[in-house]
Amino acid sequence: MKFRPISGKITMEYPCRWVYKIFGRDKDRMREALGEVLAGYDYSVTPSRSSRHGNYHCMNLDIPVSNEQERTGIYEALQAHSAIILVL
C-alpha cells in the first residue's frame, strides 16, 4: 500500500489490502456477520484482543479493496451489522 501526500491530504493507491479492526461481544456471531457481509470476498480474520472478562472481542479483518467506495462500503456494512459494535 502506498500513500502520497497531496496538499496536506493522504491519497491511497488502489487496489490494495485493507485491515479493519472489528469489535463485538460474541466471536462466533462476529464471524457469521463477516460471512454475511463479505460473501464472495477473499478475506482473512485473525483474533486480536479480548477484554479481561471476555465480554468484548477484537478481530483483524484483512481484505483486498479496489477503490475508496468499496473500502467505505465494507466499513458501513460491517458497522450496520448487529453483531459488530465498532469498526476501525
Side-chain angles (χ1 to χ4, degrees):
M1 179 172 4
K2 296 179 183 178
F3 295 100
R4 281 192 237 155
I6 298 177
S7 305
K9 293 176 80 176
I10 295 176
T11 59
M12 295 176 40
E13 287 186 24
Y14 292 96
C16 65
R17 294 201 68 82
W18 191 258
V19 177
Y20 299 90
K21 285 193 129 350
I22 60 169
F23 298 81
R25 292 183 182 266
D26 184 315
K27 292 180 199 178
D28 293 331
R29 286 198 63 225
M30 291 169 67
R31 288 185 185 277
E32 289 172 11
L34 293 176
E36 293 169 15
V37 171
L38 303 173
Y41 281 95
D42 178 28
Y43 64 92
S44 65
V45 178
T46 54
S48 183
R49 302 187 74 177
S50 294
S51 64
R52 181 178 305 182
H53 299 290
N55 295 325
Y56 297 96
H57 307 282
C58 178
M59 297 179 180
N60 297 317
L61 165 65
D62 187 321
I63 187 168
V65 292
S66 300
N67 53 53
E68 179 77 15
Q69 293 78 21
E70 183 177 41
R71 186 177 67 82
T72 57
I74 291 170
Y75 168 86
E76 290 167 357
L78 291 169
Q79 188 67 45
H81 199 284
S82 63
I84 308 229
I85 295 172
L86 178 66
V87 180
L88 299 176

